[in-house]
Amino acid sequence: MPEQEDAHTEVRPRTAVLTRGFDPSLSVGSARPAVFRSSTYVFDSPEAAERAFAMTAGKIAPPDGKRPDLIYSRISHPNAEILEDQIVPLEAGASAAAVFNSGMAAIMTAFFTYGRHQGTIVYTTPLYGGTTSLIHQFLEPFGMKGVAVASGDGAGLDEAIRHAKNCCMVYLETPANPTLTMTDIERAAQAAARHPDRPIVMVDNTFLGPTFQHPLLLGADLVLYSATKYLSGFSDMVAGVALARDPEVIQMIRSRRVMFGNILQPDECWMLDSRLPTVALRMNRQSKNAQRLAEALHGDTRLIRVIYPTLFQDADQIRIFRKQCAYPGAIFSIEFKGGKTAAFEFLRRVRIARNAVSLGGVETLTCHPKTTTHSGMTAQELADSGVTDGLVRISVGIEDWRDLLADFEQALAAVG
Ligand SMILES: *Cc1c(COP(=O)(O)O)cnc(C)c1O
């Protein structure tokens, strides 16, 4: 992978995100990108139009490393291209990106690019609810087979991949939501590489990426994000991103995006682009806050357990965490001895943290997964993945952690 090694060794990601991928001369000298809201683009000549269409259709190759001329904004537009070029340096090992109007749009487009009739997708559970529905309600009726393996069962995942017939995709979400159970990405990628069908390995990296976990360096082929979460970081937009080591993979996905019409719009691209330079700052602060809170609440007599990577007990989970995550991240879960009643009372009592789904924003949010984000799961799936009545998920923001701790302690005291 020589090209992207250059991209990542010249300067470090936090510098590259501010210096690469945007040419002020193309925005009348503006230090930050302008917004280009045009739906269509004027050609220099009929020949240029003919060439742009031929390049976009893949009939002729664009000149070295360049993109085809702009045609129409469902295909691509300047703000999408600026955002895609500026996000690449943040994802270690990536050479290209494609942006979408939601995380689900990115995942759906990747599935419909690599899925095939009677193919098998092997995936870890639990997955994000929308992704699980996509597999059951779209891929399976289209004739694909879904094979689920519990997160953390490395040997089970190896076996499932080995036995999968016509295997086209391996899909991992690690850490899992809301139990934070980790999957060894490198091990899964090695199992996929041994399979004669060479399935593509996709990782939903929303919880720890791009700052703390780098799946492409561990052998994954495609990284997917809900940019609604940490990448945008302010709970004020919905977006998705796909990034790959091989630019061909992104080219294939972009060609589907043209058909589906799910590219991220110019204003949203501009907003997300402006958030990129602070992703690492925000995530570092959020992770430090979460670690302080989780470790302070650990051992509280009203709780069965606090789930957080630095508090893992299982030797294999500790090994995976140490091997593939730079920091533990900003999500933790607490499980109440008093079940749903205690969990609901806690949610009613917190004052700084707000009761809302979603995560990754600068403000702290709490929710009760079993009755909200995970309510689509069957009783068996809930039990298998440890989503119990007493479980509350907390997405930690950038507030002063001492204020958050005081807030959680007063809410816990009220639960009794
Ligand atoms: C939110 C989320 C998604 C879906 O993303 P949207 O932007 O809401 O479409 C997918 N995966 C994970 C892990 C998420 O948290």
Side-chain angles (χ1 to χ4, degrees), residues 101-105 107 128 131 171 173 177 204 206-207 225-229 238-240 358-359 393:
N101 56 22
S102 69
M104 282 313 303
I107 294 166
Y128 180 73
T131 312
Y171 188 90
E173 191 177 309
N177 171 16
D204 182 332
T206 299
F207 268 43
Y225 284 101
S226 169
T228 313
K229 316 293 166 54
V238 174
S358 198
L359 54 103
R393 184 186 77 190

Side-chain angles (χ1 to χ4, degrees), residues 113-248:
T113 303
Y114 286 96
R116 56 175 181 253
H117 188 60
Q118 299 191 325
T120 299
I121 176 171
V122 177
Y123 62 96
T124 54
T125 53
L127 289 182
Y128 180 73
T131 312
T132 310
S133 302
L134 191 56
I135 293 170
H136 293 324
Q137 295 177 33
F138 279 90
L139 295 188
E140 289 173 349
F142 272 114
M144 281 197 60
K145 186 175 177 201
V147 175
V149 179
S151 305
D153 181 3
L157 188 58
D158 282 353
E159 279 300 283
I161 293 170
R162 197 157 69 85
H163 292 296
K165 294 216 167 52
N166 201 359
C167 189
C168 49
M169 295 185 271
V170 172
Y171 188 90
L172 316 174
E173 191 177 309
T174 179
N177 171 16
T179 55
L180 305 183
T181 311
M182 294 192 176
T183 298
D184 186 333
I185 298 169
E186 189 171 35
R187 178 173 180 176
Q190 284 166 355
R194 284 192 298 269
H195 196 290
D197 299 335
R198 298 301 299 266
I200 184 165
V201 178
M202 304 180 181
V203 178
D204 182 332
N205 205 31
T206 299
F207 268 43
L208 286 181
T211 312
F212 302 145
Q213 182 169 273
H214 311 300
L216 299 176
L217 299 184
L218 298 169
D221 302 297
L222 185 70
V223 165
L224 295 158
Y225 284 101
S226 169
T228 313
K229 316 293 166 54
Y230 293 99
L231 284 170
S232 70
F234 289 81
S235 303
D236 59 1
M237 66 179 297
V238 174
V241 186
L243 295 123
R245 200 164 353 118
D246 177 358
E248 276 294 307

Side-chain angles (χ1 to χ4, degrees), residues 146-381:
V147 175
V149 179
S151 305
D153 181 3
L157 188 58
D158 282 353
E159 279 300 283
I161 293 170
R162 197 157 69 85
H163 292 296
K165 294 216 167 52
N166 201 359
C167 189
C168 49
M169 295 185 271
V170 172
Y171 188 90
L172 316 174
E173 191 177 309
T174 179
N177 171 16
T179 55
L180 305 183
T181 311
M182 294 192 176
T183 298
D184 186 333
I185 298 169
E186 189 171 35
R187 178 173 180 176
Q190 284 166 355
R194 284 192 298 269
H195 196 290
D197 299 335
R198 298 301 299 266
I200 184 165
V201 178
M202 304 180 181
V203 178
D204 182 332
N205 205 31
T206 299
F207 268 43
L208 286 181
T211 312
F212 302 145
Q213 182 169 273
H214 311 300
L216 299 176
L217 299 184
L218 298 169
D221 302 297
L222 185 70
V223 165
L224 295 158
Y225 284 101
S226 169
T228 313
K229 316 293 166 54
Y230 293 99
L231 284 170
S232 70
F234 289 81
S235 303
D236 59 1
M237 66 179 297
V238 174
V241 186
L243 295 123
R245 200 164 353 118
D246 177 358
E248 276 294 307
V249 170
I250 293 299
Q251 210 36 56
M252 292 268 285
I253 290 173
R254 282 194 194 131
S255 72
R256 270 48 174 196
R257 185 181 66 182
V258 174
M259 290 186 253
F260 299 154
N262 55 9
I263 192 170
L264 190 63
Q265 299 283 326
D267 292 286
E268 263 75 12
C269 287
W270 181 87
M271 277 175 70
L272 182 53
D273 187 67
S274 72
R275 307 292 168 75
L276 299 183
T278 60
V279 175
L281 285 174
R282 287 183 275 108
M283 290 189 78
N284 274 298
R285 171 67 179 267
Q286 288 171 278
S287 179
K288 278 184 187 156
N289 275 358
Q291 184 166 353
R292 284 179 155 146
L293 291 166
E295 291 173 1
L297 297 177
H298 176 64
D300 187 286
T301 53
R302 287 148 292 209
L303 301 176
I304 297 171
R305 56 183 180 147
V306 175
I307 305 173
Y308 192 65
T310 61
L311 302 171
F312 282 169
Q313 302 285 320
D314 181 89
D316 196 49
Q317 288 292 300
I318 293 169
R319 177 190 65 80
I320 300 171
F321 166 57
R322 289 200 180 138
K323 167 179 157 187
Q324 77 187 20
C325 313
Y327 283 91
I331 308 286
F332 71 98
S333 295
I334 52 180
E335 189 173 6
F336 284 89
K337 289 178 181 163
K340 183 177 170 183
T341 313
F344 273 33
E345 193 56 23
F346 176 82
L347 292 175
R348 254 191 295 278
R349 296 280 182 165
V350 284
R351 296 188 191 125
I352 296 173
R354 301 225 164 90
N355 179 201
V357 299
S358 198
L359 54 103
V362 290
E363 68 291 306
T364 298
L365 300 178
T366 61
C367 72
H368 185 249
K370 189 171 177 184
T371 53
T372 59
T373 51
H374 292 64
S375 57
M377 289 169 82
T378 63
Q380 191 59 52
E381 286 169 335

Side-chain angles (χ1 to χ4, degrees), residues 2-24 26 31-33 65 67 78-91 93-96 273-274 276-277:
E3 325 92 17
Q4 88 271 1
E5 250 165 31
D6 291 350
H8 291 284
T9 48
E10 267 175 37
V11 290
R12 292 169 184 82
R14 284 169 214 190
T15 309
V17 73
L18 282 160
T19 54
R20 295 175 64 91
F22 168 59
D23 177 358
L26 299 175
R32 292 295 299 169
R67 301 226 201 193
N79 291 98
E81 298 196 346
I82 292 166
L83 172 58
E84 289 169 353
D85 290 346
Q86 296 216 286
I87 206 167
V88 164
L90 282 184
E91 185 69 43
S95 69
D273 187 67
S274 72
L276 299 183

